[in-house]
Amino acid sequence: MNVPSGASPARGKVYPDAPTALADITADGQTLAVGGFGLCGIPEALIAALRDTGVKGLTVISNNAGVDGFGLGQLLATRQIRKMISSYVGENKEFERQFLAGELELEFNPQGTLAERLRAGGAGIPAFFTATGYGTVIAEGKETREFDGKHYVLETALKADLALVKAAKADTAGNLVFDKTARNFNPACAMAGKVCVAEVEEIVQVGELDPDHVHLPGIYVDRIVLNAHPEKRIEQRTVREGQ
């Protein structure tokens, strides 16, 4: 599916809000790569804006499927997702209901395999062999080979029409800095997408970021949206009882 890439020279990469950034690059039937691990490092505003576009029939590549009512769970509630390519989906009851009812397609991946499939897609590598999953349901229908007496499964790369990612900081050229573990799948998703939109908490001018602190070069980022105060919800908060 062809979608516009980049931003107009007059506008640059910074867009005023998430709906504007997505307005001309979303369509029914797209494949999306969405960053995050659980609810950590998810592009909250972009997911909500995607929900409001009403696009449907989506295939979404993401480690998790959000939770009921938040993150990608919002798109499941509105039945906009046709298929999930994921690793862990155990926090979402609506996901479970749709899958067991045959209303939602699911392609399960071991977590490391999912990360490498995205990385391969961004690096232009069509496929790779991995020992993970050999002899299990994961390998059913896939090519297997033996190297030096060990068996491997052929896994194909993942690419997306659109990548939605979250970072802590960006400069106006799209160079991104992530906050610790909130980096997770975001760089791999960004590199695997034909077009990448980044939601960030702070935007600075070119030259204000130390080049050694840049986690993802701006060449992979087409559009930037500021969300200075994300909710950053936690799936399950567990604290020690007061003494």
Side-chain angles (χ1 to χ4, degrees):
M1 180 174 296
N2 294 320
V3 293
S5 62
S8 68
R11 182 195 295 273
K13 292 187 177 183
V14 180
Y15 280 65
D17 51 45
T20 305
L22 296 183
D24 62 337
I25 56 173
T26 54
D28 293 347
Q30 285 180 317
T31 295
L32 278 71
V34 182
F37 188 95
L39 298 181
C40 176
I42 66 169
E44 300 175 17
L46 289 171
I47 292 172
L50 181 65
R51 174 201 61 200
D52 293 343
T53 65
V55 294
K56 57 186 183 296
L58 302 174
T59 296
V60 179
I61 308 164
S62 185
N63 186 67
N64 301 68
V67 298
D68 292 292
F70 194 70
L72 291 174
Q74 297 172 89
L75 301 181
L76 288 169
T78 52
R79 310 301 293 274
Q80 290 170 266
I81 298 178
R82 177 187 65 84
K83 178 180 179 179
M84 286 292 307
I85 302 176
S86 300
S87 176
Y88 175 71
V89 293
E91 301 290 341
N92 195 307
K93 293 297 183 183
E94 177 60 17
F95 181 103
E96 178 184 7
R97 189 201 66 75
Q98 290 186 24
F99 175 67
L100 294 178
E103 301 169 2
L104 178 69
E105 294 181 47
L106 172 62
E107 184 178 328
F108 256 143
N109 292 254
Q111 197 167 84
T113 300
L114 180 64
E116 183 64 7
R117 292 182 72 191
L118 284 165
R119 191 200 70 81
I125 299 169
F128 59 92
F129 282 101
T130 175
T132 304
Y134 178 81
T136 72
V137 65
I138 294 295
E140 289 182 2
K142 298 176 181 177
E143 179 183 341
T144 61
R145 287 186 63 180
E146 182 179 340
F147 297 95
D148 297 326
K150 191 170 183 179
H151 296 280
Y152 295 82
V153 181
L154 183 68
E155 295 283 359
T156 55
L158 289 172
K159 296 181 181 180
D161 300 302
L162 179 62
L164 305 181
V165 302
K166 166 67 186 297
K169 186 183 295 187
D171 66 15
T172 54
N175 297 301
L176 300 185
V177 177
F178 300 95
D179 187 8
K180 302 179 178 65
T181 57
R183 188 188 317 188
N184 53 64
F185 280 79
N186 281 292
C189 286
M191 295 171 69
K194 293 179 184 177
V195 178
C196 174
V197 185
E199 174 182 328
V200 301
E201 297 175 41
E202 182 182 359
I203 301 175
V204 300
Q205 294 302 310
V206 172
E208 293 187 46
L209 295 179
D210 184 333
D212 286 336
H213 295 168
V214 171
H215 297 133
L216 184 73
I219 192 172
Y220 294 110
V221 179
D222 299 288
R223 301 182 177 191
I224 309 164
V225 171
L226 179 66
N227 180 13
H229 303 288
E231 184 176 341
K232 295 186 179 180
R233 192 181 300 186
I234 297 174
E235 297 104 305
Q236 298 182 28
R237 184 186 296 273
T238 303
V239 297
R240 186 174 63 180
E241 294 183 6
Q243 300 296 322

